[in-house]
Amino acid sequence: FCSIKCDEKLGRLTTFVDSNGYATRNIWDRLLPVLDGAMIDLKALDTDIHQAMTGKPNDLVLDTIRYLAEWDRLWEVRLLMVPGRNDSPELVARTAEWLHRVDPAMRVKLIGFRQHGVRPQYSDIPEADPDHIANLAEIIRDSGIKELLVV
């Protein structure tokens, strides 16, 4: 981990962490002094779906999102929509509502799954339908999330 001196060496450069969020508060506490922001992936608000997709529970990820939001270090939460796994309108609505409760000004990035660069074991997953992603984006906006980027 970077010490406080890291900030001196970086000068005017910003420091961001790109993470799946699976870390304890102790780890984030060590990073906070040198962290300008974090981009956190949330695979699913639903614990069972998250576990099925990642092999890990989502409790630390959800806690990370809340904790970094409290410290104003949460740059964005990214939602990768994988067809048939975590892209149901109901789940996306619950996720957006939860994120809005954590921070009404939260930045959310909605990402449709694409095959480009995917590991061979995931080659059977279809790409996300752009129309479906557009519908999910509307659901997120309806929750009150104002800053939404769709890619």
Side-chain angles (χ1 to χ4, degrees), residues 1-2 4 15-42 58-78:
F1 282 64
C2 187
I4 300 300
T15 52
F16 281 77
V17 170
D18 178 348
S19 174
N20 64 12
Y22 195 77
T24 63
R25 286 186 177 200
N26 181 48
I27 291 170
W28 293 113
D29 285 341
R30 292 175 64 193
L31 288 171
L32 281 172
V34 296
L35 182 67
D36 291 306
M39 301 164 288
I40 305 298
D41 297 330
L42 176 59
N58 66 355
D59 57 334
L60 285 178
V61 179
L62 299 178
D63 188 58
T64 288
I65 291 169
R66 285 188 295 263
Y67 193 59
L68 292 175
E70 287 172 20
W71 282 96
D72 197 28
R73 295 296 202 300
L74 185 62
W75 176 252
E76 71 184 11
V77 172
R78 296 178 300 199

Side-chain angles (χ1 to χ4, degrees), residues 97-129:
E97 290 164 7
W98 183 84
L99 291 171
H100 186 263
R101 282 193 307 273
V102 170
D103 180 0
M106 181 176 299
R107 174 186 164 117
V108 175
K109 186 180 284 184
L110 182 64
I111 306 166
F113 179 81
R114 294 179 185 86
Q115 279 290 324
H116 181 74
V118 169
R119 294 180 182 145
Q121 67 263 35
Y122 302 115
S123 62
D124 63 325
I125 299 173
E127 291 199 356
D129 174 54

Side-chain angles (χ1 to χ4, degrees), residues 70-95:
E70 287 172 20
W71 282 96
D72 197 28
R73 295 296 202 300
L74 185 62
W75 176 252
E76 71 184 11
V77 172
R78 296 178 300 199
L79 306 173
L80 174 65
M81 296 291 100
V82 181
R85 304 211 178 164
N86 66 345
D87 67 337
S88 77
E90 298 79 20
L91 178 59
V92 171
R94 284 190 299 121
T95 302

